[in-house]
Amino acid sequence: MMRQSIASLTEKISFRIGLLIVIALVILAVSVLWISRSEPAADDQLADLLRQAGVVQLDFGPVQDPAQVALGQSLFFDKELSGNRDTSCATCHHPLLWTGDGLALSLGTGGDGLGPTRVKGDGRAFVPRNAPEVFNRGAPEWRTMFWDGRIIAQDDQTLLTPAGIMPLTQINNVTAAQAMFPPTSADEMRGHPGDIDVFGEPNELARIDGDDVEAIWAGLMTRLLAIPDYQPLFQAAFPDKSLDDLTFHDAAKAIGAFEIAAFTFTDSPWDQYLAGDMSALSDEAKQGAILFYGNAGCVRCHSGNLMTDQQYHNIGVPHIGPGKDEAGVDNGRFLETENPADQFAFRTPPLRNVALTGPWLHNGAYDSLETVVRHHLDAANSLLAYDMSHLAPELQITCRGDAAMQEAILETLDPLMLAPTPLTDAEVGQLLAFLHALTAPSATSLAHTLPDSVPSGLPVRD
Ligand code: HEC
Ligand code: HEC
């Protein structure tokens, strides 16, 4: 009796185990089938969308001359380029801050400290705009620089710049041309008349008339070539020129070469996916890409291989900061064209590594990527409901949230922003997963791009 019941019990148990194994196998088979069916579906769908949008792998541009890169690295980190010898390019485009400064609006000469804790100098103003990242600026597609496109490559082998027309024989690309202008800006690097430098000496660059950029560039070269350690660096970078023939254009070419060599990255999951590795992207990010290039309509402006049309759109960003004109307003592209349709329009930013480079937008209005995405989905209401509480108190007082300003901004809102884009929370999550997949693992730590010292001997690590 006892033995019988044990035997039937064992039989029952082994029957149940068998049944469980069969069920598990069926579930496994079904899920393998389901995964193998759904994955190619997402990839196929995405391939179609990318084909329609004409998006292929980004051409990251030519390899830069090592001697120019070496000179450019020194110049990029050297505060000698600023009138008061207290500000370098890296102050606002710091490798430890992913080539930005972590601030909504930048703080130039006279400021103290680095990154989000940097404080404004006495009597100084905020720079009116957010410092953009400078990743991948060697891609040949780049034809514009600045939020308002005040440097533009034209079809006739010349660049239109704030200093007039520059032929491409004089300066090799828009990135190099851009590097000529920060040292001419009084608030960013040059300083104001009467300033004294960090050694208590008069700032000779600040005394030059701001419109006379040629004299400012000549003054910068006089400074640089007076430093013995710069001479061999310049000679190696430009072996065909004598020291006397060098101009600040050459310094700017070297700075551009360094930016391109140091801050170009091809290893984001998205770039690997575009290169043919279908497993580089998570399922969620793939769904996000399908939205980005499909129903969410992001590709209408973040188009092409750079993810920007390099055109100007007013997407209803709240007005923050001291502005650019006498009325304290930053009218964006309008300042360049005076075309009323360009009021409050700013250049569509590229998006690689965007998860690293907050605060976002031309004035750092938002400090969370999710808020930036949600703003795009219902721009007008987002502008009206703007909450500035996360901004530094000094910036809150510069916010222009009055009805007249909101109305002015909404008047030229881009037609693509008029109708809200309804997405579920899960879809917003997918878009964010896609934006995170634009981060190159090798861009997450850039400390190795910092030099130990620069020829002037000025500090590089603060
Ligand atoms: C005080 C902060 C500050 C300093 C110093 C500074 N920048 Fe910038 N940079 C900015 C801001 C702000 C902008 C955006 C200005 C605009 O678009 O009107 C900008 C724009 C740029 C851009 C344009 C990117 C694009 O695609 O539009 C590049 C490249 C750049 N800076 C490189 C440099 C270099 C090189 C130097 C040194 C020669 C330098 N910056 C010095 C704050 C700074
Ligand atoms: C009408 C054109 C347009 C469309 C459509 C569009 N964007 Fe933008 N986007 C812009 C412009 C222009 C800016 C910068 C605006 C400014 O700063 O004033 C921007 C900024 C951004 C930024 C911040 C980048 C930075 O470095 O500050 C992100 C992220 C972004 N867009 C993602 C998206 C996503 C996701 C979508 C789709 C849901 C989308 N965009 C749709 C034009 C557009």
Side-chain angles (χ1 to χ4, degrees):
M1 171 82 186
M2 186 80 162
R3 219 178 255 168
Q4 234 181 359
S5 68
I6 288 177
S8 79
L9 200 64
T10 338
E11 219 170 82
K12 266 189 201 156
I13 289 174
S14 55
F15 174 74
R16 281 191 188 160
I17 290 176
L19 197 65
L20 276 177
I21 291 176
V22 170
I23 292 172
L25 282 174
V26 170
I27 291 176
L28 193 74
V30 168
S31 48
V32 164
L33 265 176
W34 188 78
I35 288 171
S36 59
R37 273 166 54 98
S38 80
E39 268 206 343
D43 290 326
D44 289 347
Q45 211 179 334
L46 197 44
D48 278 346
L49 290 167
L50 291 175
R51 208 172 305 120
Q52 281 164 30
V55 172
V56 294
Q57 252 180 290
L58 181 63
D59 173 356
F60 288 90
V63 174
Q64 301 297 307
D65 175 68
Q68 290 189 9
V69 172
L71 168 63
Q73 183 190 32
S74 289
L75 295 169
F76 189 86
F77 289 94
D78 203 334
K79 296 178 176 173
E80 191 71 19
L81 266 66
S82 64
N84 297 323
R85 296 185 165 85
D86 64 349
T87 313
S88 70
C89 306
T91 302
C92 304
H93 302 283
H94 206 279
L96 300 181
L97 296 157
W98 304 285
T99 75
D101 57 11
L103 292 163
L105 298 180
S106 291
L107 291 168
T109 185
D112 191 25
L114 181 69
T117 58
R118 184 167 170 80
V119 288
K120 193 152 65 70
D122 272 349
R124 309 280 173 175
F126 280 99
V127 171
R129 292 185 182 154
N130 177 269
E133 45 64 46
V134 295
F135 290 118
N136 309 318
R137 291 301 192 273
E141 275 107 330
W142 278 114
R143 297 180 60 79
T144 60
M145 283 286 134
F146 291 119
W147 284 107
D148 50 16
R150 60 188 185 277
I151 294 182
I152 289 195
Q154 309 188 106
D155 291 335
D156 63 352
Q157 297 293 303
T158 64
L159 305 182
L160 196 59
T161 81
I165 303 278
M166 274 189 203
L168 280 172
T169 46
Q170 196 179 33
I171 195 83
N172 44 352
N173 54 49
V174 286
T175 304
Q178 190 284 333
M180 305 200 68
F181 293 95
T184 67
S185 151
D187 286 333
E188 289 188 14
M189 297 184 86
R190 195 161 61 89
H192 290 270
D195 277 4
I196 49 165
D197 75 5
V198 290
F199 303 112
E201 299 294 330
N203 171 349
E204 83 288 8
L205 297 176
R207 280 199 228 133
I208 305 171
D209 176 359
D211 289 333
D212 193 355
V213 287
E214 294 292 343
I216 299 169
W217 292 331
L220 284 158
M221 286 311 280
T222 305
R223 269 192 184 198
L224 292 172
L225 293 174
I227 297 168
D229 286 354
Y230 265 119
Q231 297 181 4
L233 284 173
F234 269 104
Q235 248 150 13
F238 300 100
D240 299 339
K241 284 195 174 181
S242 71
L243 289 180
D244 291 342
D245 291 338
L246 290 166
T247 66
F248 196 69
H249 297 78
D250 300 310
K253 278 184 215 166
I255 295 174
F258 168 72
E259 290 175 286
I260 293 167
F263 306 130
T264 292
F265 300 101
T266 59
D267 60 332
S268 75
W270 179 239
D271 288 302
Q272 292 181 357
Y273 185 83
L274 290 176
D277 179 357
M278 300 291 129
S279 68
L281 220 54
S282 70
D283 285 346
E284 197 184 17
K286 277 181 199 174
Q287 293 306 323
I290 289 169
L291 286 166
F292 189 95
Y293 289 100
N295 290 343
C298 313
V299 68
R300 290 175 299 176
C301 303
H302 297 280
S303 58
N305 302 334
L306 282 174
M307 312 182 83
T308 163
D309 54 6
Q310 298 190 67
Q311 296 299 316
Y312 312 88
H313 305 272
N314 171 357
I315 66 160
V317 175
H319 196 286
I320 296 166
K324 297 272 282 185
D325 66 8
E326 288 94 61
V329 179
D330 184 352
N331 305 80
R333 181 66 181 157
F334 173 81
L335 292 166
E336 293 301 302
T337 62
E338 292 184 11
N339 174 354
D342 288 335
Q343 285 275 13
F344 304 107
F346 293 86
R347 191 192 66 187
T348 310
L351 296 176
R352 277 179 177 75
N353 302 310
V354 71
L356 300 173
T357 58
W360 291 271
L361 303 176
H362 73 267
N363 54 18
Y366 295 117
D367 66 352
S368 111
L369 199 51
E370 176 168 352
T371 320
V372 176
V373 173
R374 288 192 184 276
H375 173 93
H376 280 76
L377 303 179
D378 190 1
N381 284 316
S382 172
L383 169 68
L384 298 178
Y386 182 63
D387 173 5
M388 63 175 172
S389 59
H390 64 280
L391 293 177
E394 266 186 314
L395 275 181
Q396 292 189 13
I397 53 173
T398 72
C399 275
R400 296 276 299 270
D402 51 288
M405 177 57 86
Q406 289 177 339
E407 237 169 74
I409 294 175
L410 290 178
E411 207 167 304
T412 55
L413 190 67
D414 195 286
L416 295 175
M417 291 279 138
L418 286 175
T421 311
L423 293 187
T424 63
D425 286 351
E427 287 171 324
V428 171
Q430 290 166 349
L431 271 178
L432 287 167
F434 173 60
L435 293 177
H436 279 273
L438 302 173
T439 302
S442 54
T444 55
S445 170
L446 299 175
H448 64 278
T449 64
L450 275 153
D452 292 329
S453 63
V454 288
S456 67
L458 289 165
V460 284
R461 287 185 180 262
D462 61 1

